[in-house]
Amino acid sequence: MHQARTTCPYCGVGCGVRADIEDGRLHGVEGDGDHPANYGRLCVKGSALAETLGSHGRLTRPRVDGVEVDWDTALDAVAERLQATRDTAGEGALAAYLSGQLLTEDYYVANKLFKGFLGTPHLDTNSRLCMASAVAAYKRALGADAVPCSYEDLEEAELVVLVGSNLAWNHPVLYQRLRTAKMRNPLMRVVVIDPRVTDTCEIADLYLGLRPGSDARLFNGLLAWMADKGRLDRLYLERHTQGVEAALAAAREDDAAVEAIAADCDLDPERLETFFYWFASQLHVVTLYSQGINQSSSGTDKCQAIINCHLAGGKIGLPGAGPFSITGQPNAMGGREVGGLANQLAAHMDYDSPGAIDRVTRFWATETLVPTLPEGPGHKAVELFEAIERGEVRALWVMATNPAVSLPDADRVRAALAKCPLVIVSECMADTDLLPYADIVLPASSWSEKDGTVTNSERRISRQRGLLPPPGEARHDWWIVCEVARRLGYGEAFAYEHPAEIFVEHARLSGFENDGNRIFDISALAELDREAYDALAPVQWPVTRAAPRGTTRLFEDGRFATADGLARLMPVRPRGPAQALGESRPLRLNTGRVRDQWHTMTRTARAPRLMNHRAEPFVEITPEDAATFGVGDQQLARLTGAGGEYRGRVRLTKGQRRGEVFVPMHWTDRFSGAARAGRLLAAHLDPISGQPETKHGAVALAALEVGWEATLLMASDDASGGEFEGRDDGAYWARIPLAHCQRWQLARGKPGEPRDWLAWVQRWLPTAPTLWCDDPAGGRLRAAGLEDGRLRWWLMVAPPAELPGLAWLDERFAESSRGQPLTADRRRRLLAGCDAGEADAGPLVCSCHQVGQKAIVEAIQAGDTSVEALGARLACGTQCGSCLPELKSLIEDTAGADPEEEDDHARAEQAPKAVHVA
Ligand SMILES: Nc1nc2c(c(=O)[nH]1)N[C@H]1C(S)=C(S)[C@@H](COP(=O)(O)OP(=O)(O)OC[C@H]3O[C@@H](n4cnc5c(=O)[nH]c(N)nc54)[C@H](O)[C@@H]3O)O[C@H]1N2
Ligand SMILES: Nc1nc2c(c(=O)[nH]1)N[C@H]1C(S)=C(S)[C@@H](COP(=O)(O)OP(=O)(O)OC[C@H]3O[C@@H](n4cnc5c(=O)[nH]c(N)nc54)[C@H](O)[C@@H]3O)O[C@H]1N2
Ligand code: SF4
Ligand SMILES: [Mo]
């Protein structure tokens, strides 16, 4: 057994991981105590990494037109077809769509090939759906896409404002760091600004549950308030910025009275003014913002409104201060560094940066090529698919992202993909919603196999190391790109033998004719040899001769990356969501993430314990709205939006605002019949960044009327999914992988219709029922199929609330797959689904130690009314800590329930501490 060090492939925190390797297998992971992003911590997704590996379900052979081929044939086909498209339709017909989950080296060569050698500007990335507005605002305000802060600034701040970020679920390790810092510093305050009460509110001193989309009004209001109360840092503004007067004038175009702002944002004026006062009276303020700000048709302005307030108060370039855009994907930042957005060229140079086209042309030595470098920006993600729809773009290469799911108006995207004459997909997994649209499928290596670098949210470059060989014929993304480049005749420019060589070239370009003009400069790393690259310790850019050990904080001298060194405050005029509510679609749709899943679930759904926290697609809504729309808790509902329908299970929550619903972004056609959030959203874009408005849809809600519901468990080798998978049959199904079987949650028929389930079910069960217990009058059935005494399937027709805990049954499937027949006693208990006297654990709360809600509630009732006491008794919450907020709210609900308090909003909005406004 040996331990290797690498980096987690999920979120932008970029945690260091130590992996135990033995006999060519990865046995387990733990947090790397020396990595400055996490100092040994990992969240539940990171700690489950070992469970998501294995060659099962992986793509292992290239495919051309549906036929498995060898690599030479596949690479020849890619090169020939790209060349043919370029010959007939011009270079502008070629496009690539990349991802913040590629490594920097993959990204660099793809960008170099498409923009530099194929001569097309149409190379964009899924970061367009994620970071584009944050990037645009940083560039406009600070002169460069440069996150000023570090994680330690969150710990050193006196006030941390979390805007549109559910940090507890989406950047859990950073959240834990903040939580610990807050415990150590009782003076630190945390404000959460989010229309939803999330687990992040656990550490909030003040929660502002604002009207969706009203953030710019709120921060404009703050700017005006600071000016009115004499809280601007006049000296800082004068020396280091320009534009404050215009920004203030724009902010004052709306009524600047606190009451008026509060009314527009639907907030309590006293609480709002408390926030204003806290912000204005502290110098050490970090405002951390994420998709609640970015995923908006006015996201750039919202980011700017936040940055304006920081500049106006001089709260930037100091320890514990700054506007901190947190990145989502592990290498969204690295993609921005190489120029992976369609409006960028390379290494933080845009097409309109003075001399950039000429400089990059010389660096890549593409002077003699026809065509040479593109002259201006290409299509941004949503526009790219519109260009495909119009037939202008005719060849698309997608790497490490799933536009058939994650783009808004996703069915239209699917139609465009279906029409596109050449779709090439580089992917690790064998079964995704995108692959059916691919003419050429290229199997890529994945985390633990890939070798290169990623950059996290605080500009820290870390090595992700290749520890295991890829399964089958899967190959590294950078290698695939270079092989295609060679076949197109560009072999010399792509003759890399190792990612170290690519990284060094990227580092050289960052310093090439830089002269201090581009803040992204890692030229001190351009000398790394392969050994030094392999050993590279995490380091924050810029890394230059002047700062060889990296840079913790930017703009400490008050000089910004603009030509005159001054930061820009900009006038912001608040705009509401572009997707309008109306009679036919009266509810505001919010979409986002859940704690234990990653995006389209291709990896996280492979770890059964990560499926338990939220097993099915859902719709969160207040009890009042549910009553109005005639849907009940745990019943099925349908949402109708701009591009189609979404079906999921209702979860009543008091943390939601009235008139709003929340759905997860994760489910695809692989996991449910109609549960793609992207179908509900219209594609409205920010005019500057091109980022789509995926947080503010408009939907109608109705109950999904069904005749009966069932749960079917099938042995994993029977569960091909053939009957449902990929199909929307108008009813409801969801697939939930368990450790040793597949669970299908089904609903069919019409209320009052004769229950035809036996006939319906038997059609596709692998064997006839061996045991059954029928209650037609009650509409209930339990049945099981055995073969040679081994369990093949188990069925219960009943509402899922009646399900026994499934761990016992899953264990019986495990025995059966080992060839062990059921004991007579267990056979008798089979329809009950548990051993005599065994209790069901209830919904899973702690994924690490698999502790269910029932045990926790019982322990609380028995007197364990603190998270520490629960941890001591049940071990829940003692490993990664991701469930601590949930434990706390269970304690509040069970032990501390105050009957006067009617909802979570009321609880989160407890009256603020006394406010003294100077
Ligand atoms: N578990 C998990 N973690 C992840 C990911 C994952 O898939 N799963 N993905 C990673 C990626 S790529 C990203 S980009 C990040 C995203 O991280 P976050 O931005 O934290 O995630 P979201 O859940 O998309 O949205 C954040 C919050 O914005 C709120 N919001 C909605 N509308 C508004 C509004 O108008 N104003 C304000 N102020 N808030 C609003 C939502 O209610 C939600 O709680 O997470 C990363 N981490
Ligand atoms: N409604 C709604 N939509 C959203 C969002 C939202 O909040 N709401 N958030 C948006 C945001 S912020 C983001 S970042 C996107 C994310 O959306 P996507 O990028 O579409 O989602 P992923 O599931 O991460 O897709 C990555 C794919 O690449 C594969 N893959 C993983 N590693 C590799 C690799 O190394 N090489 C290759 N070739 N393939 C690999 C995975 O198996 C997976 O199929 O979704 C966006 N869409
Ligand atoms: S917080 Fe969790 S998902 Fe994010 S990098 Fe760390 S371990 Fe991975
Ligand atoms: Mo993202």
Side-chain angles (χ1 to χ4, degrees):
M1 178 98 74
H2 77 278
Q3 252 199 352
R5 292 162 118 189
T6 183
T7 310
C8 175
Y10 296 124
C11 84
V13 179
C15 296
V17 170
R18 290 179 193 235
D20 296 324
I21 312 280
E22 194 175 16
D23 303 331
R25 278 193 51 216
L26 194 153
H27 290 267
V29 294
E30 60 184 27
D32 182 349
D34 297 329
H35 198 290
N38 58 319
Y39 296 110
R41 296 177 181 89
L42 286 183
C43 80
V44 57
K45 293 185 299 304
S47 24
L49 270 168
E51 295 152 51
T52 64
L53 305 182
S55 57
H56 154 77
R58 287 287 299 273
L59 269 178
T60 52
R61 287 270 287 166
R63 250 181 1 237
V64 175
D65 300 327
V67 180
E68 289 196 347
V69 295
D70 59 29
W71 268 108
D72 268 328
T73 312
L75 295 164
D76 287 347
V78 173
E80 278 160 21
R81 293 186 195 187
L82 286 176
Q83 185 66 54
T85 308
R86 184 161 70 156
D87 290 345
T88 54
E91 62 278 2
L94 308 178
Y97 186 54
L98 312 184
S99 159
Q101 293 167 75
L102 291 169
L103 304 183
T104 299
E105 293 75 3
D106 303 327
Y107 238 131
Y108 177 86
V109 290
N111 194 55
K112 179 176 176 183
L113 174 62
F114 274 79
K115 291 180 185 160
F117 286 76
L118 289 170
T120 173
H122 307 309
L123 175 139
D124 206 40
T125 147
N126 66 355
S127 285
R128 185 70 58 193
L129 317 177
C130 181
M131 304 314 302
S133 288
V135 171
Y138 273 147
K139 283 164 79 166
R140 219 167 57 166
L142 311 180
D145 174 19
V147 177
C149 311
S150 281
Y151 295 160
E152 56 190 64
D153 289 324
L154 279 173
E155 295 166 328
E156 289 172 25
E158 294 294 330
L159 173 67
V160 175
V161 188
L162 302 169
V163 197
S165 153
N166 184 5
L167 203 71
W169 279 11
N170 300 325
H171 300 93
V173 165
L174 195 54
Y175 175 78
Q176 294 295 330
R177 282 182 65 168
L178 175 61
R179 192 173 177 272
T180 308
K182 189 168 191 289
M183 280 174 1
R184 290 203 184 122
N185 175 7
L187 294 179
M188 183 199 273
R189 285 181 174 134
V190 174
V191 177
V192 172
I193 305 181
D194 190 316
R196 253 178 355 131
V197 178
T198 62
D199 275 6
T200 304
C201 295
E202 184 218 349
I203 55 165
D205 298 286
L206 180 66
Y207 164 67
L208 299 176
L210 84 179
R211 187 193 310 284
S214 64
D215 302 81
R217 174 76 170 112
L218 190 153
F219 281 92
N220 260 3
L222 171 59
L223 184 68
W225 193 92
M226 287 164 71
D228 291 344
K229 304 286 181 208
R231 299 281 186 166
L232 299 182
D233 186 336
R234 286 283 170 196
L235 199 62
Y236 192 87
L237 284 168
E238 205 170 292
R239 288 199 183 149
H240 304 300
T241 75
Q242 56 166 256
V244 64
E245 295 313 328
L248 260 175
R252 287 184 171 137
E253 270 181 53
D254 298 306
D255 187 345
V258 171
E259 287 69 23
I261 305 164
D264 288 349
C265 301
D266 194 18
L267 292 169
D268 170 59
E270 197 188 335
R271 302 167 59 75
L272 181 65
E273 193 157 34
T274 303
F275 166 60
F276 287 178
Y277 176 70
W278 286 358
F279 188 98
S281 55
Q282 288 291 354
L283 183 58
H284 301 276
V285 181
V286 172
T287 305
L288 180 144
Y289 49 100
S290 187
Q291 301 313 331
I293 290 293
N294 297 346
Q295 289 174 341
S296 154
S297 53
S298 55
T300 308
D301 279 349
K302 286 175 178 167
C303 297
Q304 180 78 50
I306 292 171
I307 297 171
N308 281 349
C309 293
H310 276 269
L311 291 171
K315 304 172 209 292
I316 184 169
L318 295 167
F324 193 166
S325 148
I326 186 96
T327 48
Q329 296 177 95
N331 199 31
M333 186 80 88
R336 287 143 68 177
E337 290 155 17
V338 304
L341 289 160
N343 47 311
Q344 304 173 324
L345 183 51
H348 271 213
M349 286 174 275
D350 287 350
Y351 291 96
D352 56 2
S353 317
I357 296 182
D358 169 60
R359 186 178 309 118
V360 176
T361 302
R362 282 184 285 114
F363 185 84
W364 281 340
T366 56
E367 296 93 335
T368 56
L369 291 180
V370 183
T372 175
L373 252 54
E375 284 165 8
H379 299 307
K380 304 181 174 106
V382 172
E383 299 159 356
L384 173 60
F385 286 86
E386 288 167 0
I388 295 173
E389 193 176 52
R390 291 194 301 272
E392 289 165 23
V393 167
R394 304 181 59 77
L396 174 72
W397 190 346
V398 181
M399 296 179 206
T401 177
N402 192 339
V405 178
S406 53
L407 278 165
D409 205 355
D411 283 4
R412 191 167 157 203
V413 169
R414 288 175 183 225
L417 282 165
K419 211 178 124 179
C420 186
L422 175 59
V423 177
I424 304 158
V425 176
S426 297
E427 169 63 53
C428 325
M429 297 302 170
D431 194 18
T432 78
D433 282 10
L434 180 64
L435 288 172
Y437 298 93
D439 301 289
I440 303 180
V441 175
L442 304 171
S445 59
S446 181
W447 182 81
S448 76
E449 301 145 17
K450 295 182 71 113
D451 204 22
T453 56
V454 291
T455 311
N456 76 0
S457 291
E458 54 167 1
R459 292 174 278 104
R460 193 181 296 280
I461 299 170
S462 293
R463 288 279 280 115
Q464 221 184 71
R465 292 189 175 85
L467 314 172
L468 305 172
E473 292 173 32
R475 294 282 184 277
H476 302 315
D477 287 299
W478 68 265
W479 180 88
I480 300 172
V481 171
C482 293
E483 284 297 308
V484 169
R486 197 163 63 78
R487 284 167 171 77
L488 285 163
Y490 311 130
E492 215 178 306
F494 290 84
Y496 312 103
E497 285 178 1
H498 190 274
E501 295 162 14
I502 304 173
F503 182 82
V504 161
E505 181 177 311
H506 166 56
R508 267 203 303 122
L509 176 56
S510 77
F512 184 58
E513 299 177 4
N514 187 323
D515 304 321
N517 292 321
R518 305 187 312 269
I519 199 163
F520 175 69
D521 184 344
I522 53 167
S523 50
L525 302 175
E527 309 295 319
L528 296 182
D529 56 19
R530 199 182 289 188
E531 215 173 304
Y533 173 81
D534 272 337
L536 182 68
V539 59
Q540 284 175 288
W541 64 256
V543 197
T544 58
R545 205 171 295 222
R549 308 176 70 173
T551 313
T552 305
R553 196 168 297 107
L554 300 178
F555 314 124
E556 284 180 303
D557 56 0
R559 247 200 95 71
F560 290 89
T562 50
D564 56 13
L566 303 178
R568 303 285 191 271
L569 288 90
M570 301 283 290
V572 170
R573 294 294 308 130
R575 301 194 301 280
Q579 296 171 81
L581 301 181
E583 221 167 282
S584 61
R585 294 211 287 269
L587 290 166
R588 181 55 77 206
L589 172 78
N590 182 359
T591 71
R593 290 155 172 79
V594 304
R595 191 188 73 191
D596 292 1
Q597 289 303 331
W598 177 262
H599 295 169
T600 65
M601 299 163 57
T602 58
R603 288 174 290 170
T604 37
R606 292 159 69 89
R609 68 172 160 127
L610 298 182
M611 283 305 302
N612 287 336
H613 177 243
R614 294 283 184 275
E616 287 181 82
F618 60 83
V619 179
E620 280 182 346
I621 185 169
T622 64
E624 296 82 2
D625 282 343
T628 309
F629 289 90
V631 298
D633 196 23
Q634 298 304 317
Q635 285 177 0
L636 294 168
R638 63 157 52 127
L639 292 173
T640 322
E645 196 168 286
Y646 172 102
R647 296 193 282 279
R649 203 170 287 287
V650 172
R651 288 176 56 91
L652 293 190
T653 161
K654 295 169 182 166
Q656 194 64 33
R657 288 164 49 98
R658 291 287 301 271
E660 294 164 24
V661 293
F662 176 82
V663 304
M665 63 163 296
H666 305 288
W667 269 265
T668 69
D669 292 352
R670 304 300 109 198
F671 295 95
S672 194
R676 284 186 280 115
R679 225 192 205 173
L680 295 170
L681 295 158
H684 288 279
L685 309 184
D686 180 284
I688 300 160
S689 71
Q691 178 155 355
E693 183 182 77
T694 43
K695 283 281 180 277
H696 307 305
V699 291
L701 170 69
L704 181 70
E705 306 283 352
V706 293
W708 49 274
E709 287 206 54
T711 305
L712 173 69
L713 306 180
M714 285 221 254
S716 293
D717 29 337
D718 290 330
S720 69
E723 184 75 14
F724 309 106
E725 206 182 314
R727 267 188 41 204
D728 176 4
D729 59 358
Y732 174 81
W733 63 264
R735 178 168 70 88
I736 304 153
L738 303 183
H740 306 288
C741 65
Q742 298 279 319
R743 169 179 166 197
W744 297 85
Q745 200 56 47
L746 309 168
R748 325 254 336 154
K750 296 265 176 307
E753 255 179 17
R755 294 169 196 271
D756 62 340
W757 47 260
L758 242 185
W760 184 81
V761 146
Q762 275 184 353
R763 229 182 38 231
W764 49 271
L765 285 179
T767 63
T770 318
L771 307 165
W772 65 95
C773 163
D774 200 355
D775 170 18
R780 302 286 192 273
L781 165 93
R782 289 187 186 209
L786 290 93
E787 206 171 39
D788 305 327
R790 287 176 292 145
L791 183 58
R792 293 287 298 277
W793 58 267
W794 184 93
L795 174 75
M796 179 185 93
V797 178
E802 295 176 21
L803 266 184
L806 296 177
W808 187 90
L809 283 162
D810 198 33
E811 200 38 53
R812 305 291 79 77
F813 278 101
E815 287 165 7
S816 299
S817 74
R818 292 194 295 264
Q820 233 170 298
L822 291 179
T823 62
D825 184 46
R826 293 228 153 114
R827 210 182 135 108
R828 269 197 303 280
R829 304 289 319 162
L830 197 57
L831 294 185
C834 57
D835 279 331
E838 232 180 51
D840 158 26
L844 188 81
V845 176
C846 170
S847 300
C848 297
H849 292 288
Q850 294 284 294
V851 188
Q853 187 171 318
K854 279 196 181 155
I856 295 169
V857 168
E858 277 164 21
I860 298 169
Q861 284 162 345
D864 292 336
T865 51
S866 68
V867 290
E868 293 76 19
L870 287 174
R873 187 194 291 247
L874 301 169
C876 52
T878 54
Q879 192 166 323
C880 80
S882 304
C883 65
L884 290 175
E886 231 166 303
L887 293 177
K888 222 170 148 183
S889 72
L890 280 174
I891 293 170
E892 277 167 21
D893 289 346
T894 313
D898 176 353
E900 295 291 292
E901 250 168 29
E902 52 190 77
D903 64 27
D904 286 4
H905 258 276
R907 185 178 311 151
E909 291 182 350
Q910 284 154 3
K913 292 149 201 160
V915 199
H916 305 283
V917 179

